[in-house]
């Protein structure tokens, strides 16, 4: 952490804030909604000052790493990594998962990325998760280690993304993974809170396992019907469960302060899950307003509290 002329610590936090295509409705979940044109999304990201992004759903960016780098470079941006659904509990998928992970890791490496953001799904159709048998839990833990090794081979870090409607969804799921293997985490403030895990407490208790951060705010009063599978995540998203940063129930400021004071020096990715289902918004309208509001919260409310934080 640098110091100003007056000797006050100055955080470089804002230079490590990035964006993600999901904030523009570009989602890996099947059937999520319409995708805005790639040049428009990247142009809006760049216009807000972002210099890095994640990959987004298939079809958003090109399939070749050279073309990915070229397209992002045209907007002054680079690739951080990508959200990668994986099936890890089912031994029948073992070889296919390993092969797919190697292919994805090679693409990320060649495209200049550093993070392999895994999320453990029941199957690639995102069926509702079920309780796992003991041997399935053991196989999942083993597979985290195998993917860690693959990522290391390609100069990447695997970070597990707890996520609604996956096999690492709840606080108990997160605790089981912490205790059963060494995989690092993507601390997603929204999805952790969704599953009952206090993200500030996670940052305090498991700082050595935090390799990446997604900043997401949510309304906790809308969570239970989704966890009971009475309301779909898509429907909850359309109803506004995900809010701009600072407008929901997650202590975003507390998470950032805790991580920065503990020496975290990685990226913070603004993610407000959005679904575009009523036609494409006009130029200058739509998701850009919500992302702008989130960035203003970080600039005006969060960043100033870090300038006097102990180094």
């Amino acid at each position: 952490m640098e110091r100003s002329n007056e000797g006050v610590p100055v955080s470089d936090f804002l230079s490590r804030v990035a964006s993600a295509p999901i904030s523009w409705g570009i989602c890996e979940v099947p059937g999520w909604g319409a995708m805005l044109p790639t040049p428009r999304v990247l142009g809006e990201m760049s216009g807000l000052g972002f210099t890095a992004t994640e990959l987004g759903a298939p079809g958003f960016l090109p399939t070749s790493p050279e073309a990915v780098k070229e397209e992002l470079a045209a907007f002054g941006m680079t690739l951080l990594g990508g959200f990668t659904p994986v099936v890890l509990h089912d031994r029948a998928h073992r070889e296919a998962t390993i092969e797919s992970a190697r292919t994805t890791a090679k693409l990320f490496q060649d495209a200049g990325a550093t993070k392999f953001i895994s999320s453990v799904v029941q199957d690639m159709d995102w069926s509702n998760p079920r309780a796992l048998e003991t041997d399935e839990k053991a196989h999942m833990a083993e597979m985290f280690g195998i993917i860690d090794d693959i990522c290391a081979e390609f100069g990447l870090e695997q970070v597990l993304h707890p996520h609604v409607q996956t096999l690492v969804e709840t606080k108990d799921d997160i605790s089981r993974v912490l205790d059963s293997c060494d995989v690092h985490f993507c601390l997603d403030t929204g999805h952790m809170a969704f599953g009952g895990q206090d993200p500030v407490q996670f940052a305090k208790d498991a700082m050595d396992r935090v390799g990446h951060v997604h900043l997401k705010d949510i309304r906790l009063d809308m969570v239970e019907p989704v966890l009971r599978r009475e309301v779909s995540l898509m429907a909850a998203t359309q109803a506004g469960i995900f809010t701009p940063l600072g407008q929901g129930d997650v202590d975003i400021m507390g998470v950032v302060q805790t991580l920065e004071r503990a020496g975290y020096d990685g990226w913070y990715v603004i993610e407000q899950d959005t679904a575009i289902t009523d036609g494409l918004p006009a130029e200058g309208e739509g998701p850009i307003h919500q992302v702008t509001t989130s960035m203003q919260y970080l600039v005006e409310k969060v960043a100033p509290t870090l300038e006097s934080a102990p180094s």
Side-chain angles (χ1 to χ4, degrees), residues 81-155:
F83 183 86
T84 308
V86 287
V87 178
L88 301 187
H89 67 291
D90 189 343
R91 198 169 289 275
H93 288 261
R94 181 186 180 95
E95 295 308 319
T97 297
I98 291 172
E99 181 180 353
S100 176
R102 291 188 64 84
T103 299
T104 301
K106 180 67 164 61
L107 184 151
F108 286 169
Q109 179 192 51
D110 291 346
T114 59
K115 304 296 179 182
F116 183 109
I117 306 164
S118 60
S119 193
V120 189
V121 292
Q122 181 72 41
D123 52 50
M124 297 309 288
D125 293 325
W126 284 71
S127 298
N128 285 332
R130 58 167 174 78
L132 297 182
E133 303 293 337
T134 299
D135 63 329
E136 292 177 318
K137 295 175 184 177
H139 189 258
M140 180 189 295
E142 179 188 356
M143 288 295 292
F144 278 130
I146 290 172
I147 295 181
D148 275 343
D149 291 342
I150 291 171
C151 288
E153 179 183 344
F154 290 96

Side-chain angles (χ1 to χ4, degrees), residues 17 20 61 64 67 79 86 94 111 116 145 169 181 211 226 231 233-234 237 256 262 268 282-283 305:
V17 175
L61 288 174
S64 78
L79 184 69
V86 287
R94 181 186 180 95
F116 183 109
E169 176 182 55
C181 66
V226 180
V231 174
L233 182 59
M234 165 71 90
T237 300
V256 175
Y268 295 87
E283 291 283 344
T305 72

Side-chain angles (χ1 to χ4, degrees), residues 101-273:
R102 291 188 64 84
T103 299
T104 301
K106 180 67 164 61
L107 184 151
F108 286 169
Q109 179 192 51
D110 291 346
T114 59
K115 304 296 179 182
F116 183 109
I117 306 164
S118 60
S119 193
V120 189
V121 292
Q122 181 72 41
D123 52 50
M124 297 309 288
D125 293 325
W126 284 71
S127 298
N128 285 332
R130 58 167 174 78
L132 297 182
E133 303 293 337
T134 299
D135 63 329
E136 292 177 318
K137 295 175 184 177
H139 189 258
M140 180 189 295
E142 179 188 356
M143 288 295 292
F144 278 130
I146 290 172
I147 295 181
D148 275 343
D149 291 342
I150 291 171
C151 288
E153 179 183 344
F154 290 96
L156 305 172
E157 178 185 16
Q158 177 187 196
V159 286
L160 167 63
H161 188 323
H163 197 288
V164 176
Q165 203 176 325
T166 72
L167 292 170
V168 183
E169 176 182 55
T170 67
K171 180 180 179 180
D172 287 346
D173 295 334
I174 291 170
S175 296
R176 185 184 72 247
V177 172
L178 284 171
D179 293 341
S180 64
C181 66
D182 298 323
V183 69
H184 286 184
F185 278 75
C186 170
L187 196 173
D188 185 293
T189 57
H191 280 285
M192 281 192 172
F194 212 126
Q197 170 68 62
D198 179 349
V200 176
Q201 196 63 48
F202 185 89
K204 291 177 179 178
D205 294 343
M207 174 62 197
D208 60 332
R209 302 284 287 270
V210 177
H212 196 51
V213 178
H214 285 172
L215 295 178
K216 181 188 282 95
D217 212 343
I218 65 169
R219 288 180 50 185
L220 291 177
D221 64 326
M222 299 176 66
V223 163
E224 285 303 321
V226 180
L227 293 177
R228 293 195 299 264
R229 317 304 179 203
E230 297 168 1
V231 174
S232 70
L233 182 59
M234 165 71 90
T237 300
Q238 291 172 311
I241 192 170
F242 297 107
T243 73
L245 299 181
Q247 296 185 14
D249 297 312
V250 179
D251 185 4
I252 301 295
M253 184 180 296
V255 171
V256 175
Q257 289 174 339
T258 300
L259 290 170
E260 289 296 290
R261 291 170 183 173
Y264 177 73
D265 60 1
W267 287 95
Y268 295 87
V269 178
I270 295 177
E271 274 204 340
Q272 182 183 349
D273 290 7

